[in-house]
Amino acid sequence: MRRRNELALLPKSPLLITESADEFDAVRDAFEREIKPRGIIERMYVHDICSIVWDRRCKAVIINAAFSSALEDLLVRLRPPGQQDFEAGDPARRLAHAWFTDKAAKKQVLEILGRFDLDESAIEAEAIRRSSSDLELLDRMLTSLESRRNKALGCVAEYRASLAHQLRQSADRVIDGKGVLRLEDAASECSTAA
C-alpha cells in the first residue's frame, strides 16, 4: 500500500502516445529491483534514471525511420546509365516501400546492391548519414541526460550514506546514554513537578 501511495506522488511516465505504459513500468520495476529504493526520495531518483534510459531508444527509431528514403535514394543513384530521373510514384520508390514487406522486392534490391558490391548495410549507412544531424543533436541531449542520471545515482548513494551516518550517531548516543531520557530520570522529574 505504501509503495502505491509513493508511486502516486511520482510524475507521470514520460511516454509518447505510441509507447506502452506497461513496458515503461517493467523497466522501472527492473531498476527498483536492482537499486531497491527506500522511500519516496529514492523512488524519485529511480524514476528519473528510468526515464533517461527510456529516452535512449530514440536513436534506433530515428535511423529506422530513414530507411525507406535512404533505400529509395540508393536505388535512384544506382539506376542504369541513361535512365531518366524518376517521378513521384516511380519504380525506385515502389521498390523501396515493397522492400519492407515483399520477399521478391527484397531479393531484387539485394541484386541491385550486389552489382555494386553493396549489401543491406549500405541502406543502413545511408539512413545513418541522412539522420546524422538529428543523431548529433540527440547525442548531445542524451549526454546531458546521462550526466543527470549519474548525478541521480550519486544522490541516491549520498542520501543513503547521510541517513546511515545519522542513524549511526543516534545509535551511538543511545548506547553511550548521552542525550537519552532514562526512565528513572523521567520518573524523578515527574515527582518533583508534582
Side-chain angles (χ1 to χ4, degrees):
M1 183 69 170
R2 181 177 170 208
R3 181 179 184 271
R4 192 176 318 141
N5 291 339
E6 288 178 354
L7 289 177
L9 296 173
L10 295 175
K12 294 284 183 201
S13 301
L15 302 176
L16 301 173
I17 58 173
T18 57
E19 295 178 318
S20 165
D22 291 338
E23 288 178 17
F24 179 84
D25 290 343
V27 171
R28 187 191 60 230
D29 290 346
F31 272 98
E32 286 190 357
R33 282 191 304 275
E34 180 71 25
I35 297 174
K36 297 176 181 60
R38 293 174 242 147
I40 186 64
I41 293 172
E42 291 185 10
R43 285 195 199 292
M44 287 170 49
Y45 286 128
V46 169
H47 185 80
D48 190 39
I49 293 164
C50 184
S51 297
I52 292 165
V53 169
W54 187 260
D55 290 341
R56 290 198 61 77
R57 303 166 312 117
C58 294
K59 221 172 180 179
V61 174
I62 289 171
I63 296 168
N64 285 337
F67 258 67
S68 181
S69 59
L71 177 54
E72 182 180 342
D73 187 54
L74 276 173
L75 292 173
V76 168
R77 285 190 279 158
L78 298 176
R79 69 181 182 269
Q83 189 173 0
Q84 297 297 320
D85 285 343
F86 296 115
E87 298 175 16
D90 66 322
R93 179 170 291 155
R94 285 194 305 274
L95 187 56
H97 289 288
W99 178 81
F100 290 93
T101 57
D102 183 351
K103 288 182 181 182
K106 195 166 203 146
K107 182 180 177 188
Q108 185 179 354
V109 166
L110 290 174
E111 288 172 0
I112 292 169
L113 293 173
R115 286 186 225 140
F116 297 89
D117 291 327
L118 300 172
D119 59 16
E120 287 178 328
S121 64
I123 305 167
E124 182 179 315
E126 178 62 16
I128 291 170
R129 187 192 67 75
R130 289 171 155 265
S131 306
S132 62
S133 61
D134 292 333
L135 293 172
E136 183 181 348
L137 176 62
L138 181 62
D139 274 340
R140 283 196 305 268
M141 290 170 46
L142 289 174
T143 298
S144 174
L145 289 173
E146 287 171 356
S147 175
R148 278 183 44 213
R149 180 202 59 206
N150 292 341
K151 286 179 184 175
L153 285 170
C155 287
V156 169
E158 188 177 313
Y159 176 79
R160 285 183 176 174
S162 173
L163 181 61
H165 179 70
Q166 291 172 16
L167 292 173
R168 237 179 277 114
Q169 285 180 333
S170 296
D172 289 345
R173 278 195 308 271
V174 169
I175 292 169
D176 294 342
K178 297 176 185 170
V180 176
L181 184 61
R182 296 175 189 236
L183 291 178
E184 57 270 3
D185 294 339
S188 66
E189 285 179 19
C190 288
S191 63
T192 57

